[in-house]
Amino acid sequence: MHGHWSSRAAFILAVTGSAVGLGNIWKFPYITGENGGGAFVLLYLGCVFAVGMPILVSEVLLGRRGRRNPIATMAILGQEEGGSRHWRLVGTMGVIAGLLILSFYSVIAGWSLAYALKSAVGSFAGTDARSAAFEFFTFTGNWKALLAWHAVFMAMTVFVVAAGVQHGLERAVRVLMPLLVVMLLVLVAYSARYGAFEETLVYLFKPDFSELSGESMLIALGHCFFTLSIGMGVVMAYGAYLPEGTSIAASSLTVVLADTVIALLAGMAVFPLVFGNGLNPAEGPGLVFETLPIAFGQLPAGSVFGTVFFLLLTFAAWTSAIGLLEPAVAWIVERHQRSRVVGAVVVGGLTWLMGLATVLSFNVLSDLRFGRGTLFQNIDFLASNILLPASALLITVFAGWIMCRNSSSEELAMGSGLLYKGWRLLSRVVAPLAILVIAFRAVGVI
Ligand code: TRP
């Protein structure tokens, strides 16, 4: 990876490709359901714009300033600006969080692949709420099937990372992302016509703050980092190839808006079916897989739609999974002088094995509960709600406090106007405080 992005649009597409994934379509609806709807959505939007967005800007800014891989960038900038190379640990933490996330991400992407096939052979024809739930229950009950689909998806990811394909990805994102949006719009239209749409709008947009706990705040915060792919050095790595003179703020805003719109559309497709069929919104990770097949089962040409939809979802997950695997592989290649193929196969293989914990959480070990719940829930919590906020905190503190004012204003090229002051206020005060307060609340200190 050397040189520059061919255009600003290419950079935006790459970051959007990593941002838009299972986080938007699978995770956002189910955690919204588990945390009571509107108040959580509002909190999530607040986190995205007041905390996520300034940190996204900071991460791109650090990347373009350092122009190296994330660990080297943090080491060099740390020394130049802050007198300590220990800042490289931010990069290391990101790599670890990425592998933990990938270990469950690939399992869920495997479900999506399996559902594309199920839809293609007509399994959803005439599906109602009960049979969809039953189908999901039987499918996830079979650990061998889950492990096999997880293997297929991981192999796809390893294949691309090993080959180091960049251009194919860019082109694919350009075509597939708009298609995904169109499919979501079709589903929203279906849900508006046949589901409980008004109830959904009230549920999603009329906040009831009594539903919120300190824990929900931590989940909203963690998800804002998860969905924007912040805190793992990936955005930093992409930022390293952004030409001088491209507006970091405008590019970041575009990514944030695209990501948010897709998540909200997913919510508007899923919840009308939940309420219309008397399902439980707090159903958990199976929510999307138990609701959307109902729509596909009734729509004309539903099996075609269903297949296309789950393929698109798999594809969105694929572009994200590549970004999750890449940093660890780059590290192995640079640090231990192995080929990309060896690096990708070794890291991918180990992550696949780690995924066994998630696979078994839905069947054999579903009764094993501790901490946050099942093994899968604990891995997700550790990565998304502890590691990501921690490294995001370090990134924003570094960009806002350690880095000198001249460097950041030069990189952001916003002059010393209101925009720059706004970013500085958010990244120096609002974002760090929000992260600390939310973290302390969640552990019960405040
Ligand atoms: N943003 C992705 C999603 O919402 C998941 C993700 C988190 C990610 N961190 C990442 C993807 C880093 C690529 C790189 O599904």
Side-chain angles (χ1 to χ4, degrees):
M1 280 218 326
H2 279 288
H4 287 301
W5 295 102
S6 51
S7 64
R8 189 180 98 139
F11 168 77
I12 293 179
L13 277 169
V15 181
T16 310
S18 98
V20 174
L22 296 174
N24 307 63
I25 294 166
W26 161 73
K27 198 172 175 189
F28 173 74
Y30 98 74
I31 59 177
T32 298
E34 282 181 337
N35 289 280
F40 180 82
V41 173
L42 200 66
L43 198 62
Y44 163 76
L45 291 176
C47 283
V48 162
F49 287 96
V51 183
M53 164 105 181
I55 300 184
L56 180 65
V57 168
S58 301
E59 205 177 319
V60 181
L61 158 80
L62 296 184
R64 191 164 72 179
R65 193 82 187 160
R67 292 220 181 273
R68 284 174 184 78
N69 75 60
I71 300 185
T73 287
M74 285 312 290
I76 286 172
L77 291 180
Q79 195 153 40
E80 270 177 21
E81 310 260 353
S84 166
R85 291 181 69 83
H86 290 312
W87 283 99
R88 57 140 50 91
L89 287 175
V90 176
T92 314
M93 214 155 85
V95 170
I96 296 172
L99 294 185
L100 284 176
I101 291 176
L102 183 59
S103 82
F104 68 79
Y105 207 85
S106 166
V107 174
I108 313 299
W111 296 359
S112 182
L113 259 178
Y115 266 60
L117 186 74
K118 282 181 197 292
S119 183
V121 299
S123 315
F124 299 148
T127 294
D128 59 14
R130 274 193 43 214
S131 53
F134 181 73
E135 172 88 36
F136 180 75
F137 182 75
T138 346
F139 171 64
T140 49
N142 179 352
W143 67 270
K144 287 183 192 145
L146 298 196
L147 197 60
W149 285 109
H150 167 44
V152 172
F153 185 81
M154 191 62 91
M156 288 163 49
T157 307
V158 165
F159 178 77
V160 176
V161 173
V165 178
Q166 289 267 300
H167 302 288
L169 254 186
E170 193 178 311
R171 228 167 294 148
V173 172
R174 202 183 294 261
V175 179
L176 293 165
M177 219 48 92
L179 253 179
L180 185 70
V181 174
V182 171
M183 289 294 301
L184 270 177
L185 285 173
V186 169
L187 284 173
V188 172
Y190 175 86
S191 292
R193 175 91 175 70
Y194 299 104
F197 201 64
E198 266 167 50
E199 198 178 334
T200 296
L201 293 182
V202 171
Y203 181 75
L204 286 180
F205 299 111
K206 188 157 175 278
D208 172 2
F209 288 97
S210 65
E211 297 273 354
L212 281 187
S213 61
E215 180 100 328
S216 326
M217 298 176 72
L218 191 60
I219 300 214
L221 182 77
H223 189 62
C224 105
F225 300 138
F226 183 93
T227 191
L228 296 176
S229 307
I230 302 172
M232 296 185 18
V234 171
V235 178
M236 210 183 281
Y238 287 175
Y241 305 99
L242 193 62
E244 307 281 344
T246 315
S247 163
I248 294 180
S251 316
S252 304
L253 182 65
T254 314
V255 172
V256 170
L257 286 179
D259 191 79
T260 307
V261 167
I262 294 182
L264 291 177
L265 283 179
M268 288 190 265
V270 168
F271 287 110
L273 299 171
V274 171
F275 297 127
N277 291 287
L279 299 173
N280 175 14
E283 177 63 41
L287 191 63
V288 177
F289 295 92
E290 292 178 57
T291 49
L292 296 185
I294 305 172
F296 296 129
Q298 322 293 330
L299 270 174
S303 55
V304 178
F305 274 132
T307 313
V308 174
F309 177 81
F310 283 112
L311 282 179
L312 285 169
L313 181 57
T314 307
F315 202 90
W318 199 14
T319 59
S320 298
I322 291 162
L324 287 164
L325 182 58
E326 171 66 30
V329 173
W331 180 76
I332 295 235
V333 170
E334 286 166 23
R335 189 65 196 270
H336 297 282
Q337 265 96 51
R338 301 287 165 162
S339 69
R340 282 190 74 83
V341 176
V342 172
V345 170
V346 169
V347 182
L350 286 176
T351 314
W352 177 77
L353 267 183
M354 276 160 53
L356 197 58
T358 296
V359 164
L360 297 178
S361 299
F362 290 93
N363 34 67
V364 181
L365 298 179
S366 61
D367 290 333
L368 175 66
R369 280 166 197 269
F370 59 98
R372 306 291 151 177
T374 61
L375 264 173
F376 153 70
Q377 284 164 320
N378 281 287
I379 296 172
D380 180 21
F381 190 83
L382 171 64
S384 314
N385 306 109
I386 297 177
L387 294 177
L388 290 188
S391 69
L393 178 65
L394 293 172
I395 288 173
T396 190
V397 165
F398 189 85
W401 291 95
I402 310 282
M403 197 170 201
C404 78
R405 206 187 156 108
N406 291 345
S407 313
S408 62
S409 75
E410 183 186 43
E411 242 4 278
L412 288 178
M414 298 193 289
S416 54
L418 212 57
L419 263 180
Y420 178 71
K421 291 208 178 97
W423 168 76
R424 226 167 129 80
L425 180 70
L426 288 175
S427 64
R428 281 164 73 97
V429 183
V430 178
L433 268 185
I435 297 176
L436 288 175
V437 168
I438 290 175
F440 284 140
R441 264 208 72 150
V443 292
V445 178
I446 6 181

